[in-house]
Amino acid sequence: MGVFQKIAQLLKANINDLIEKAADPEKMLNQLIEDMEDQLQKARVEVANALADEKILQKKVEENKKAAEEWQKKAELAVSKGEDELAVEALKRKREFERLADEYQKQYEAQHEAVEKLKSGLKMLEDKIEEAKRRRDLLIAKSKRADAQVTITQTMSKLTDTSAFESFEKYAQKIEQKEARAQAHEELLNASKTLEDRFKELENSDEDILDELQKLKEKMGK
């Protein structure tokens, strides 16, 4: 299988399906991009080799054309010297090199067409890989958002269980009842004081004031 076919398979892969199945989507996508770039590098080598072959064929065309021209000159020289036999041999050689030049020209043209297609395919693959790189971050972000959404959904489903809230309310009611009993106990204690106790408290309060008044008079000499 050629490298171009391998890259095409990588590009046709169902990326979204791979992400869903992957334990680590980011790692998987990075690996896919790395594989694409590895195959692309091999494709570049193939194109470079094909281009080198094209140049060799072009050189062969030029060499045989030049040789044909040289034998043409030799034939002309032989004719000018009256050497018809040499002129005939020179013309035969000229035709041989012309035939070779035509064959190499056909091969060169076919190779040139193939190279142009390879170069076009290589450019297309380079563009697609760059697009895949741009999509990588978006796909990873989508995957992470989907994971977060699943987590939120699971959390919300747990919150629909009212048992925890019911327990909280029960404890809140117990604390409020405890506070109410303490307040009631204090009110009962205050209500239980006799009228005599209340007057006694009042007298004790007045005695303190009278004692303080007497001390103030003595201090002032009155």
Side-chain angles (χ1 to χ4, degrees), residues 99-195:
R99 180 181 58 80
L100 286 173
D102 288 341
E103 289 296 326
Y104 277 120
Q105 180 66 31
K106 292 177 182 178
Q107 293 183 37
Y108 165 76
E109 290 174 357
Q111 183 69 12
H112 178 73
E113 183 179 354
V115 168
E116 290 303 309
K117 289 181 179 179
L118 288 174
K119 288 165 68 175
S120 178
L122 184 64
K123 180 63 170 63
M124 181 185 68
L125 291 175
E126 288 173 342
D127 291 343
K128 285 187 175 294
I129 290 176
E130 287 302 315
E131 179 184 356
K133 288 180 181 180
R134 291 191 294 270
R135 290 183 61 203
R136 172 180 53 190
D137 292 340
L138 177 60
L139 290 170
I140 290 173
K142 286 183 177 180
S143 176
K144 290 182 177 180
R145 182 170 61 83
D147 291 340
Q149 186 63 40
V150 170
T151 301
I152 292 172
T153 302
Q154 291 175 345
T155 302
M156 292 301 295
S157 66
K158 292 178 181 179
L159 289 177
T160 58
D161 182 5
T162 59
S163 60
F165 292 100
E166 291 173 353
S167 298
F168 180 85
E169 289 299 326
K170 287 180 181 178
Y171 282 113
Q173 290 177 5
K174 286 182 179 181
I175 292 173
E176 289 175 354
Q177 290 173 358
K178 183 178 180 180
E179 182 183 22
R181 285 196 298 269
Q183 291 175 350
H185 181 72
E186 184 178 359
E187 290 176 2
L188 290 173
L189 179 62
N190 291 334
S192 66
K193 290 182 180 180
T194 63
L195 184 60

Side-chain angles (χ1 to χ4, degrees), residues 40-119:
L40 182 61
Q41 184 59 35
K42 293 178 181 178
R44 288 194 180 107
V45 173
E46 284 193 5
V47 173
N49 290 337
L51 183 59
D53 291 340
E54 177 191 345
K55 292 184 178 300
I56 290 173
L57 290 170
Q58 185 180 25
K59 186 177 181 181
K60 289 291 184 182
V61 171
E62 293 171 353
E63 287 175 351
N64 282 278
K65 283 184 176 181
K66 184 177 181 181
E69 291 173 358
E70 289 176 353
W71 282 106
Q72 173 68 27
K73 291 178 181 179
K74 288 179 179 180
E76 292 173 357
L77 178 62
V79 169
S80 67
K81 298 296 184 180
E83 299 287 344
D84 290 348
E85 292 183 6
L86 285 177
V88 170
E89 292 299 323
L91 290 173
K92 288 181 180 179
R93 289 291 187 89
K94 171 201 167 187
R95 287 189 177 183
E96 181 179 348
F97 282 110
E98 285 179 339
R99 180 181 58 80
L100 286 173
D102 288 341
E103 289 296 326
Y104 277 120
Q105 180 66 31
K106 292 177 182 178
Q107 293 183 37
Y108 165 76
E109 290 174 357
Q111 183 69 12
H112 178 73
E113 183 179 354
V115 168
E116 290 303 309
K117 289 181 179 179
L118 288 174
K119 288 165 68 175

